[in-house]
Amino acid sequence: MANNILLVDLIDPLSPSAISYLPQTTGWKCLAVLSCMACAIWLFRKWRDFKRQAYRRKAKKRVEQLMFDSLLVNEPKIMLHQLNQITKQAAMQLTPIKI
């Protein structure tokens, strides 16, 4: 009982207010926006370059298939003709004819 008499006058401590995780200054907000924009521009350029290089990946895959097929069929004249066609098609993708 003696302990309860001492605790009667104590006040419960107040809980601290919630802390915001967002930056409070405008400089950090501007830096975050600029960083997001820079990342978006970089990703767009990488995607655009990936799409532009599709003809090279396609030609490379066809050349690899041609080399594999040339091991099975020993016809150098046909292989060179097909390699020439692949090269021409890749060049046409790079610089299309303007009519």
Side-chain angles (χ1 to χ4, degrees):
M1 282 297 212
N3 290 339
N4 290 340
I5 293 172
L6 296 174
L7 296 176
V8 171
D9 293 334
L10 291 178
I11 301 172
D12 289 333
L14 298 175
S15 299
S17 61
I19 298 172
S20 174
Y21 289 106
L22 295 176
Q24 296 177 353
T25 59
T26 57
W28 286 111
K29 291 176 186 176
C30 290
L31 183 63
V33 169
L34 290 175
S35 297
C36 289
M37 288 175 58
C39 287
I41 290 170
W42 181 78
L43 285 172
F44 174 74
R45 287 183 178 174
K46 286 295 182 182
W47 176 77
R48 185 184 60 194
D49 291 342
F50 178 78
K51 295 300 259 181
R52 284 183 180 172
Q53 302 299 327
Y55 75 95
R56 288 186 184 184
R57 289 190 303 277
K58 183 178 176 183
K60 183 179 176 183
K61 187 184 291 185
R62 288 182 62 198
V63 168
E64 289 172 355
Q65 183 64 37
L66 181 64
M67 293 302 163
F68 178 74
D69 292 344
S70 70
L71 295 175
L72 300 176
V73 180
N74 193 9
E75 291 289 333
K77 188 174 182 180
I78 294 173
M79 185 188 76
L80 289 175
H81 177 69
Q82 291 176 347
L83 185 62
N84 188 23
Q85 286 181 337
I86 293 170
T87 307
K88 285 180 181 179
Q89 289 174 358
M92 291 297 294
Q93 290 291 326
L94 184 60
T95 55
I97 297 175
K98 295 178 184 176
I99 298 176

